[in-house]
Amino acid sequence: MMVRLSAIARSKGPLHPDQCRSFPGLSSSDACLTLMHEGKTLQRPRVAVSTLFLDIEASFDNVNAFTLRARLLASRIPSYMVDWVFSSLSERTCTLVFQGSPNIPSPVSVGTPQGSPISPLLFLLYVAPLHMSIPRGLMVSYVDNFSITVASPSYRGNVRRLQSLFSTIAAKGQDIGLSFSVPKTKLIRWRTPSQRTPPSHAPIELDNHLFRPSPVVRWLGFWFTPSFNMAHHYRQRLSLAQAVFSFVNRLSSPGAGVSLFLCHRLAGGLLLHILAYGADLLTPNYAALRGMNSLWHRVQRWTTNNFFSTPTSILSREACLPPIISYCRYKRPLAARRVACAAPNANPASARLPHSSPSLSTFRALDASRHLTVGLSSVYLPLSWRTKVPSPPIRKHLPVDALAHLTLPLQGGLTRLPLVLHAPPSARNRNPPPDLKRKTYQALRTRARNMLIQDWITDDPRPPY
């Protein structure tokens, strides 16, 4: 039922295009990439850009079955699906079990079943009316996490716009029984390295609460700073990876514990992904890589049980684990492949690809801000996605254009990249067969993996002995 309902929700459009969700082909990095792309695009005309982060309070517990049923019927969802959903949310009971409790079942009139795979999809359909189009701005969400980005000549103008938009979305939320969490509401004012004016600390008032600009905001596992500096993000990832490694290290003390094979699986399946989370969007700088390398060398020694005097240049080959810098480079082409091959009408990041990108779909986001960069001076004009970044980097790509540029080495002789659909294609679909697109998509991954091996050989060459 979830597969059928998600396919109909994609085709008939009850979900907003900027509404990210736990669907195949979508992740939290797509929402963060969309936010970064629009934020940096709006900064190009030299205007003030601010973002308000909101979180729905007790989200899944406040879904009203009758309101959801009316929403599904208005979206032209088949009646048998609507009846199935309404039946699963109706006539439910809850029993509190504790010492001395009467064990009497109580009726539950709101909320979605906990642990059900269809509950996230039902919640997305329930909160879809909260989304709206913002001129010179963007509203993007991931399940119950919302972000509202606006741009104006001054930060005070952004405060007024954010207050007006928050009043509108709060009123829509009250109509369906939802409210936003006050402790999780954050405000950030984006800045560029060339701005010399002192940062504005003026707060914003929302529902009789004052919220001051935050120097660091954590959203969907990414740590954002006003200048989009990645150093704080990787400091947090390094601290988390160190804490996990100190716990996992106790499982295999010298001469005891789990086998080296299982240590290798833990290192590659757990520690590596914790340490390099976000490398597909945020490229670590030299200072971040130095700390990450130090921890990763400890992990490689733990995996192989080598001596501390073993040269670090051969640890990656002994442990069969790639260097952290090579793995971070590997994640970027993988993210570029996924964004370039995703359906633009279902992925907000893919919908902001350049019109000249080799995608089989011509759909592009209607609320994208790329048109604001037309006619800018050469310094502020974004670099074309086909052009390599010069040295020194006077001009740079936009975030989505930077990923599109990474697809050039992967394309080879392809004129168009495959369009991976996670739903059955329509009858009028003229794209290549799904099997051919799937094989081409896998071939792109193989090319990216070969690039990883070449970087591995270059970074850590084979010792002469």
Side-chain angles (χ1 to χ4, degrees):
M1 181 60 69
M2 177 182 176
V3 175
R4 296 179 182 178
L5 185 58
S6 61
I8 294 177
R10 289 175 182 268
S11 60
K12 295 193 175 182
L15 297 174
H16 195 274
D18 294 333
Q19 194 176 8
C20 297
R21 55 270 187 193
S22 52
F23 279 179
L26 267 177
S27 65
S28 58
S29 61
D30 295 318
C32 293
L33 176 59
T34 305
L35 174 64
M36 292 174 54
H37 179 82
E38 289 296 322
K40 292 191 174 184
T41 304
L42 292 170
Q43 284 181 332
R44 293 288 175 155
R46 290 172 290 179
V47 296
V49 183
S50 304
T51 298
L52 182 66
F53 297 93
L54 304 172
D55 186 274
I56 297 179
E57 189 173 10
S59 52
F60 290 84
D61 297 334
N62 290 323
V63 176
N64 187 284
F66 294 95
T67 305
L68 179 61
R69 183 176 184 273
R71 166 70 177 160
L72 295 178
L73 291 175
S75 302
R76 296 177 297 174
I77 303 296
S79 58
Y80 77 93
M81 288 189 176
V82 178
D83 294 337
W84 185 90
V85 170
F86 185 74
S87 175
S88 64
L89 298 181
S90 304
E91 299 180 0
R92 296 184 297 123
T93 59
C94 176
T95 304
L96 299 179
V97 179
F98 56 90
Q99 186 176 4
S101 64
N103 293 333
I104 299 176
S106 302
V108 178
S109 57
V110 295
T112 57
Q114 185 178 6
S116 174
I118 202 173
S119 294
L121 177 59
L122 297 179
F123 177 76
L124 292 171
L125 295 168
Y126 189 74
V127 301
L130 299 183
H131 271 266
M132 67 186 80
S133 298
I134 304 174
R136 296 178 71 91
L138 172 72
M139 178 183 292
V140 63
S141 69
Y142 186 84
V143 190
D144 59 344
N145 297 276
F146 283 71
S147 69
I148 305 176
T149 303
V150 296
S152 67
S154 65
Y155 289 114
R156 291 187 179 273
N158 289 343
V159 169
R160 290 190 292 267
R161 293 193 63 190
L162 289 174
Q163 288 175 336
S164 176
L165 292 171
F166 177 80
S167 300
T168 303
I169 190 176
K172 290 182 178 181
Q174 289 180 357
D175 294 340
I176 57 178
L178 298 177
S179 60
F180 293 97
S181 175
V182 174
K184 295 183 179 180
T185 301
K186 303 292 182 182
L187 172 68
I188 191 170
R189 293 193 170 108
W190 307 110
R191 293 175 60 86
T192 60
S194 61
Q195 283 184 266
R196 296 294 181 262
T197 58
S200 175
H201 300 286
I204 182 174
E205 182 181 359
L206 304 173
D207 285 346
N208 299 324
H209 292 87
L210 288 178
F211 299 95
R212 299 190 178 277
S214 302
V216 177
V217 172
R218 183 179 184 268
W219 194 61
L220 303 181
F222 288 80
W223 296 84
F224 292 106
T225 60
S227 60
F228 290 103
N229 190 354
M230 75 294 295
H232 188 87
H233 172 80
Y234 285 108
R235 280 199 298 267
Q236 296 294 330
R237 302 311 306 178
L238 179 60
S239 300
L240 180 59
Q242 288 174 341
V244 174
F245 178 62
S246 65
F247 176 78
V248 174
N249 194 16
R250 305 171 191 170
L251 300 176
S252 180
S253 57
V258 298
S259 63
L260 296 181
F261 172 75
L262 294 180
C263 292
H264 179 272
R265 297 293 296 270
L266 284 173
L270 176 65
L271 297 173
L272 181 60
H273 296 287
I274 293 177
L275 185 60
Y277 179 80
D280 47 355
L281 302 184
L282 306 173
T283 305
N285 54 14
Y286 174 77
L289 284 174
R290 185 172 55 186
M292 296 166 68
N293 269 326
S294 177
L295 174 63
W296 193 237
H297 290 159
R298 290 173 53 197
V299 173
Q300 291 172 339
R301 285 192 176 94
W302 170 72
T303 304
T304 57
N305 203 14
N306 279 337
F307 296 105
F308 281 96
S309 59
T310 304
T312 58
S313 59
I314 65 173
L315 280 177
S316 62
R317 293 179 177 271
E318 291 284 345
C320 296
L321 294 171
I324 196 67
I325 184 172
S326 301
Y327 183 76
C328 291
R329 293 198 198 116
Y330 169 65
K331 291 194 68 175
R332 294 276 292 172
L334 285 186
R337 179 199 64 145
R338 184 175 56 81
V339 171
C341 298
N345 58 348
N347 191 316
S350 302
R352 284 158 176 82
L353 286 169
H355 289 279
S356 58
S357 61
S359 176
L360 288 174
S361 176
T362 59
F363 176 86
R364 293 297 181 268
L366 299 177
D367 56 350
S369 304
R370 188 182 292 270
H371 65 280
L372 299 177
T373 62
V374 177
L376 297 178
S377 60
S378 59
V379 179
Y380 298 98
L381 188 66
L383 195 64
S384 173
W385 72 276
R386 294 182 181 274
T387 308
K388 185 179 180 181
V389 178
S391 181
I394 302 175
R395 293 172 57 192
K396 295 182 180 180
H397 297 115
L398 294 174
V400 173
D401 296 0
L403 290 184
H405 179 75
L406 294 177
T407 61
L408 293 176
L410 301 178
Q411 291 179 24
L414 296 176
T415 57
R416 294 286 179 180
L417 293 176
L419 188 64
V420 179
L421 300 175
H422 296 277
S426 60
R428 299 180 180 179
N429 183 30
R430 297 182 179 179
N431 291 334
D435 292 339
L436 179 60
K437 292 189 295 184
R438 183 165 50 252
K439 292 180 180 179
T440 307
Y441 190 72
Q442 294 174 354
L444 295 177
R445 182 184 180 90
T446 303
R447 292 179 183 177
R449 187 172 299 173
N450 292 335
M451 293 170 58
L452 168 64
I453 297 175
Q454 293 299 325
D455 285 344
W456 189 346
I457 296 174
T458 303
D459 294 336
D460 287 345
R462 181 181 299 177
Y465 53 87

